[in-house]
């Protein structure tokens, strides 16, 4: 049967659980964003959260009348209970560890003659300390004025202790005139109180803890009474010297608001990146702190209210509340819906500029070298000098280099503009899903998702573009190397007059698909060769097994491994065959025909491929266009109006 007492107990139990639940109010555009925000504030996982809807959100119509959600979010009580139990277990382990560190100490006793009798206080030994000798305590309790003592009780107290209190053990003939005399002195500001005690004479009573407390209360002291110090005085009295027994409760001022940063604000503390072996990589100086749009950068910790104090006479002492601060918002940052979290409004580098949090979408450096190390940036990078050999740039935005590029790796999510040129020394790589602009390209690999535009020459390089490769300018020549373009390759001169350098140009197909096709074909050829070796080994072992009817354990395991490998190779080659067929079909169906334009001379020895059909130039030809027709590569008169003239220089770059 449910009774009122049972309900009361259940409600009290539930109240204790509710007191431990921490909750926050959060505003955001969606419930998911509210939960994500609360998980940061409560420092727990979203799965451990529950919530109540205070105000229902509305997405609005065409962006109008939009209203955020307002939720009261708290941790799941069951999870809180588990966390509490785990914390208690941790505390218990820490206490047990602390107990093991306790220093040994001997037991001790105190005999005091208070107004109503003789009392004893026994402190038990700790660790391997010596216990209190009962005979010593009995001897100390007997004086000429002693009437009687309970020796059995003394022995019990010496054995079991008195739990920090004084226990009455006997009577004595008290002479009130010889009692100790106590005076209470209160500070004029009511901040502390002291007692001055003169010692008792023979048969006079000593001062007890209750005597001190009653004397303080009679003087109006109601707060800050230090019972520990009073007990210490009773155990070890200090006579004729003021002894502090009460202290005012001081006010606690509230802490000021402050910003908690999620990035290093002191750039001198940024450390060089270490390799897996623990060695310093001086090319990875780690000087740039990249952030992405929407990333939390900092959070304002709200000011705290002060906690008032009391004088020993109970007068209120006012505390100062913590001061609030303005959130230092700079450029390209914004406040989250909670009003205290600073978010990045774009990709870039987070910085403190004039005391404000900023995200800089453009990174400008004088050059990329030993001073800067490699540059990795979530935005646009502008280099006012050269990129030296061995140093790399990787950026989400554009990369503009006003000098030259050596044996480097340059990767960008936008256009790459190189005012001088690329000298890759057969190892440099420039890659982007957009376009590449340069004055020249020499001994480098360049990959572009759109166009490659060069103002002087391309020499001994591997260049691919998903649209066009255009070489402009007075010389505008392509000498040596292998060039791929889906739509068009245009230059003034193609090939080498001496014919000593092989120049291959391919158009009319997807260069990435073509490269993938060649890679798969090479891999498949290697697997087929491996399969032939595996089949030979299997055949040899199986023949041995037929002759001997069995094989040694090691050879049986080897045969099993060969059979497994044969199955793996067969599956891999079948998958590769499917991919190869798909790529070949895609290349055959490519609608872009492609063409190669030369306003000047195409020198003998140059090889022109249009949709996999080859035209190997046997003799120099001038002002010519190569194109595909009826399964053959045809040559026509070069028409300047048909060459690529629609490619414009990017902003801030002159093609001259």
């Amino acid at each position: 049967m449910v009774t009122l007492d049972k309900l009361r107990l259940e409600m009290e139990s539930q109240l204790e659980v509710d007191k431990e639940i921490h909750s926050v109010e959060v505003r955001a555009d969606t419930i998911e964003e509210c939960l994500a925000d609360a998980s940061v504030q409560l420092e727990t996982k979203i799965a451990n959260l529950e919530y109540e809807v205070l105000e229902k959100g509305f997405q609005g119509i065409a962006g109008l009348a939009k209203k955020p959600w307002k939720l009261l979010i708290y941790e799941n009580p069951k999870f809180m209970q588990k966390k509490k139990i785990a914390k208690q277990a941790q505390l218990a382990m820490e206490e047990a560890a602390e107990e093991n560190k306790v220093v040994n100490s001997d037991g001790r006793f105190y005999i005091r003659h208070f107004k109503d009798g003789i009392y004893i206080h026994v402190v038990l030994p700790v660790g391997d300390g010596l216990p209190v000798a009962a005979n010593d305590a009995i001897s100390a309790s007997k004086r000429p004025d002693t009437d009687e003592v309970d020796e059995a009780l003394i022995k019990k107290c010496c054995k079991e202790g008195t739990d920090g209190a004084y226990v009455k053990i006997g009577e004595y003939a008290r002479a009130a005139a010889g009692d100790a005399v106590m005076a209470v002195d209160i500070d004029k500001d009511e901040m502390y109180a002291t007692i001055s005690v003169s010692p008792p004479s023979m048969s006079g009573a000593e001062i007890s803890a209750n005597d001190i407390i009653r004397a303080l209360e009679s003087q109006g002291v109601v707060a800050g009474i230090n019972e520990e110090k009073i007990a210490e005085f009773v155990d070890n009295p200090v006579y004729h010297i003021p002894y502090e027994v009460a202290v005012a409760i001081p006010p606690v001022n509230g802490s000021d608001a402050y910003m908690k940063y999620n990035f290093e604000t002191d750039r001198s503390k940024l450390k060089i990146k270490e390799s897996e072996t623990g060695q310093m990589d001086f090319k990875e100086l780690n000087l740039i702190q990249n952030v992405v749009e929407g990333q939390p950068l900092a959070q304002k910790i709200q000011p705290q209210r002060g906690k008032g104090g009391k004088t020993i006479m109970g007068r209120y002492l006012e505390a100062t509340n913590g001061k609030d601060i303005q959130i230092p918002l700079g450029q390209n940052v914004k406040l989250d819906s909670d009003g205290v979290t600073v978010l990045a409004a774009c990709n870039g580098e987070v910085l403190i500029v004039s005391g404000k949090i900023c995200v800089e979408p453009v990174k400008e450096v004088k050059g990329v070298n030993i001073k800067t190390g490699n540059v990795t940036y979530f935005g646009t990078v502008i280099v006012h000098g050269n990129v030296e050999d061995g140093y790399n740039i990787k950026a989400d935005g554009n990369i503009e280099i006003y000098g030259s590029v050596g044996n480097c790796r340059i990767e960008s999510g936008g256009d790459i503009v190189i005012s001088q040129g690329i000298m890759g020394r057969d190892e440099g790589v420039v890659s982007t899903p957009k376009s590449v602009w340069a004055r020249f390209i020499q001994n480098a690999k360049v990959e572009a998702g759109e166009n490659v535009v060069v103002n002087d020459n391309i020499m001994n390089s591997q260049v691919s573009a998903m649209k066009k490769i255009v070489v402009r300018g007075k010389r505008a020549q392509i000498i040596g190397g292998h060039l791929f373009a889906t739509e068009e390759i245009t230059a003034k001169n193609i090939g080498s007059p001496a014919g000593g350098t092989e120049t291959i140009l391919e158009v009319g197909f997807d260069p990435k698909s073509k490269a993938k096709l060649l890679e798969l074909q090479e891999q498949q050829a290697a697997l087929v060769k491996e399969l032939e070796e595996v089949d030979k080994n299997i055949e040899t072992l199986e023949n041995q097994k037929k002759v001997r009817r069995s094989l040694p354990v090691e050879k049986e395991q080897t045969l099993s491994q060969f059979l497994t490998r044969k199955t793996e190779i067969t599956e891999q080659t079948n998958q590769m065959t499917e991919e190869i067929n798909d790529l070949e079909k895609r290349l055959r169906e490519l609608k872009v025909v492609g063409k190669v334009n030369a306003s000047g001379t195409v020198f003998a020895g140059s090889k022109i491929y249009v949709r996999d059909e080859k035209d190997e130039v046997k003799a120099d030809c001038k002002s010519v266009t190569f194109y595909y027709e009826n399964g053959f590569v045809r040559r026509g008169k070069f028409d300047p109006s048909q060459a690529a003239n629609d490619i414009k220089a990017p902003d801030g770059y002159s093609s001259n």
Side-chain angles (χ1 to χ4, degrees):
M1 187 176 91
V2 179
T3 64
L4 185 61
D5 289 338
K6 189 174 181 180
L7 285 173
R8 185 181 294 111
L9 290 172
E10 289 182 358
M11 291 178 68
E12 288 176 355
S13 176
Q14 186 61 42
L15 179 61
E16 290 300 317
V17 173
D18 292 344
K19 283 181 180 178
E20 296 179 358
I21 295 176
H22 302 289
S23 63
V24 291
E25 285 189 10
V26 181
R27 291 177 180 268
D29 294 337
T30 65
I31 292 177
E32 290 75 13
E33 290 178 1
C34 288
L35 290 170
D37 190 355
S39 70
V40 175
Q41 295 190 49
L42 295 175
E43 296 181 348
T44 187
K45 297 179 180 178
I46 294 177
N48 299 330
L49 298 178
E50 294 186 354
Y51 64 88
E52 297 174 11
V53 178
L54 301 179
E55 293 181 12
K56 193 173 181 181
F58 179 59
Q59 291 187 346
I61 300 172
L64 300 176
K66 189 175 182 180
K67 182 180 178 183
W69 288 81
K70 183 179 179 183
L71 304 183
L72 178 66
I73 303 177
Y74 49 87
E75 289 184 286
N76 185 306
K78 292 182 179 179
F79 171 75
M80 288 285 294
Q81 191 66 17
K82 289 181 181 178
K83 191 161 73 171
K84 181 181 177 182
I85 293 171
K87 187 175 181 181
Q88 289 174 344
Q90 179 67 22
L91 287 173
M93 291 175 64
E94 291 175 358
E95 288 175 1
E98 191 66 28
E99 287 177 1
N100 293 332
K101 298 179 183 178
V102 174
V103 178
N104 299 326
S105 62
D106 295 339
R108 58 190 184 276
F109 70 92
Y110 305 94
I111 301 293
R112 294 289 175 263
H113 292 70
F114 298 142
K115 293 176 181 178
D116 60 340
I118 304 172
Y119 285 77
I120 189 170
H121 172 208
V122 177
V123 179
L124 294 174
V126 176
D128 296 329
L130 299 174
V132 173
N135 291 334
D136 292 344
I138 292 171
S139 297
S141 67
K142 293 180 179 180
R143 295 191 321 192
D145 58 354
T146 300
D147 291 337
E148 61 176 349
V149 291
D150 187 342
E151 294 186 7
L153 180 58
I154 293 174
K155 290 178 180 179
K156 181 181 178 182
C157 291
C158 290
K159 182 179 179 181
E160 299 177 359
T162 58
D163 292 331
Y166 276 85
V167 177
K168 187 175 181 181
I169 55 172
E171 300 288 346
Y172 73 105
R174 177 191 171 204
D179 288 351
V181 178
M182 176 176 60
V184 177
D185 183 31
I186 297 176
D187 172 52
K188 64 178 181 179
D189 294 327
E190 304 176 10
M191 299 306 292
Y192 62 89
T194 60
I195 58 172
S196 295
V197 180
S198 59
S201 57
M202 177 59 70
S203 300
E206 297 174 280
I207 299 297
S208 69
N210 288 335
D211 293 338
I212 297 172
I213 292 173
R214 282 197 297 267
L216 291 171
E217 291 177 346
S218 67
Q219 295 293 325
V221 178
V222 296
I225 297 174
N226 192 328
E227 294 184 359
E228 288 185 4
K229 294 200 72 174
I230 291 173
E232 184 180 337
F233 177 88
V234 174
D235 288 342
N236 301 285
V238 178
Y239 296 118
H240 302 304
I241 297 175
Y243 185 87
E244 188 177 82
V245 289
V247 180
I249 301 171
V252 179
N253 294 331
S255 57
D256 295 340
Y258 65 94
M259 295 301 299
K260 181 180 178 182
Y261 295 94
N262 300 335
F263 59 95
E264 182 55 68
T265 57
D266 185 355
R267 294 182 62 82
S268 65
K269 294 182 180 179
L270 294 174
K271 297 180 180 179
I272 297 174
K273 187 175 180 181
E274 293 185 6
S275 66
E276 294 179 356
T277 59
Q279 295 179 329
M280 295 293 187
D281 186 351
F282 289 96
K283 290 183 180 178
E284 296 291 346
L285 299 183
N286 203 25
L287 297 177
I288 299 173
Q289 298 184 86
N290 286 299
V291 294
V292 297
E293 182 179 354
Q295 181 176 332
L297 305 178
Q299 185 178 34
K300 184 178 87 168
I301 305 302
Q302 298 285 18
Q304 301 297 313
R305 293 185 61 83
K307 184 178 180 180
K310 282 184 181 180
T311 67
I312 59 175
M313 309 295 283
R315 181 166 53 84
Y316 180 75
L317 296 174
E318 188 174 356
T320 304
N321 292 330
K323 296 179 181 179
D324 200 0
I325 60 171
Q326 292 290 329
I327 297 178
L329 296 178
Q331 293 183 340
N332 302 313
V333 296
K334 61 182 180 180
L335 275 181
D336 199 358
S337 54
D338 61 6
V340 294
T341 303
V342 181
L343 304 178
C346 65
N347 295 354
E349 179 183 13
V350 59
L351 299 165
I352 298 292
V353 180
S354 300
K356 295 184 177 181
I357 304 170
C358 301
V359 175
E360 181 56 64
V362 178
K363 179 68 176 178
E364 296 192 43
V365 294
K366 292 182 179 179
V368 179
N369 46 44
I370 193 171
K371 292 182 179 180
T372 61
N374 295 335
V375 175
T376 301
Y377 198 69
F378 290 174
T380 292
V381 174
I382 298 177
V383 182
H384 292 282
N386 301 328
V387 183
E388 295 183 7
D389 289 346
Y391 291 90
N392 305 324
I393 302 177
K394 187 174 183 179
D396 279 359
N398 295 343
I399 297 177
E400 296 184 33
I401 301 168
Y402 294 121
S404 61
V405 173
N407 176 10
C408 310
R409 189 172 190 90
I410 311 295
E411 297 179 65
S412 170
D415 290 328
I416 298 177
V417 180
I418 303 170
S419 297
Q420 295 304 315
I422 305 167
M423 294 175 286
R425 294 176 174 80
D426 297 324
E427 293 181 4
V429 177
V430 176
S431 176
T432 175
K434 294 296 187 70
S435 296
V436 175
W437 304 74
R439 186 166 297 279
F440 61 83
I441 300 173
Q442 293 180 6
N443 303 97
K445 182 178 181 180
V446 177
E447 299 174 343
E450 293 180 1
N451 304 307
V452 174
V453 181
V454 177
N455 286 351
D456 196 336
N457 64 74
I458 299 176
M459 295 181 63
N460 301 319
S461 297
Q462 185 175 329
V463 182
S464 65
M466 295 300 292
K467 290 185 178 180
K468 301 172 182 178
I469 298 174
V470 178
V471 185
R472 299 171 173 171
K474 294 179 180 179
R475 287 189 287 180
Q477 58 187 1
I478 299 171
I479 303 174
H482 200 157
L483 278 64
F484 303 80
T486 301
E487 298 178 10
E488 175 186 334
I489 298 176
T490 295
K492 181 178 180 181
N493 300 318
I494 297 173
S496 171
T501 304
E502 185 178 53
T503 305
I504 303 173
L505 278 60
E506 299 189 47
V507 294
F509 61 89
D510 179 350
K512 289 186 178 180
S513 296
K514 178 73 172 179
K516 181 66 175 177
L517 177 62
L518 294 174
E519 181 183 351
L520 287 173
Q521 287 174 339
E522 289 177 1
Q523 292 177 358
Q524 191 179 53
L527 286 174
V528 169
K529 187 175 181 181
E530 182 183 355
L531 182 60
E532 292 175 356
E533 293 295 326
V534 170
D535 282 335
K536 289 179 182 178
N537 291 327
I538 291 173
E539 184 179 357
T540 301
L541 290 171
E542 286 181 341
N543 289 336
Q544 291 178 7
K545 191 173 183 179
K546 287 178 182 178
V547 173
R548 299 179 182 180
R549 296 186 179 181
S550 65
L551 290 172
V553 177
E554 293 181 0
K555 288 192 175 183
E556 191 68 49
Q557 290 177 349
T558 304
L559 176 60
S560 177
Q561 291 173 357
F562 279 133
L563 291 170
T564 302
R565 181 56 184 158
K566 180 178 180 179
T567 303
E568 292 174 353
I569 293 174
T570 303
E571 291 177 356
Q572 289 177 355
T573 52
N574 289 338
Q575 291 176 358
M576 287 183 178
T577 299
E578 291 181 7
E579 289 186 59
I580 289 170
N581 291 336
D582 290 340
L583 287 171
E584 288 177 340
K585 182 180 179 182
R586 191 182 309 163
L587 291 171
R588 285 195 302 270
E589 293 175 350
L590 194 64
K591 293 181 179 180
V592 178
V593 172
K595 58 184 176 180
V596 175
N597 297 313
S599 60
T601 304
V602 179
F603 294 101
S606 301
K607 297 176 182 178
I608 310 297
Y609 290 84
V610 183
R611 296 195 66 181
D612 284 338
E613 298 299 327
K614 183 174 75 170
D615 183 350
E616 185 169 358
V617 179
K618 302 295 184 181
D620 296 353
C621 54
K622 297 187 177 183
S623 188
V624 62
T625 293
F626 297 84
Y627 61 93
Y628 182 85
E629 184 179 79
N630 298 327
F632 295 96
V633 178
R634 304 292 187 183
R635 300 182 186 181
K637 184 67 175 176
F638 170 71
D639 185 350
S641 65
Q642 294 179 357
N645 294 312
D646 57 340
I647 303 176
K648 296 181 180 179
D651 294 339
Y653 176 75
S654 173
S655 60
N656 296 325

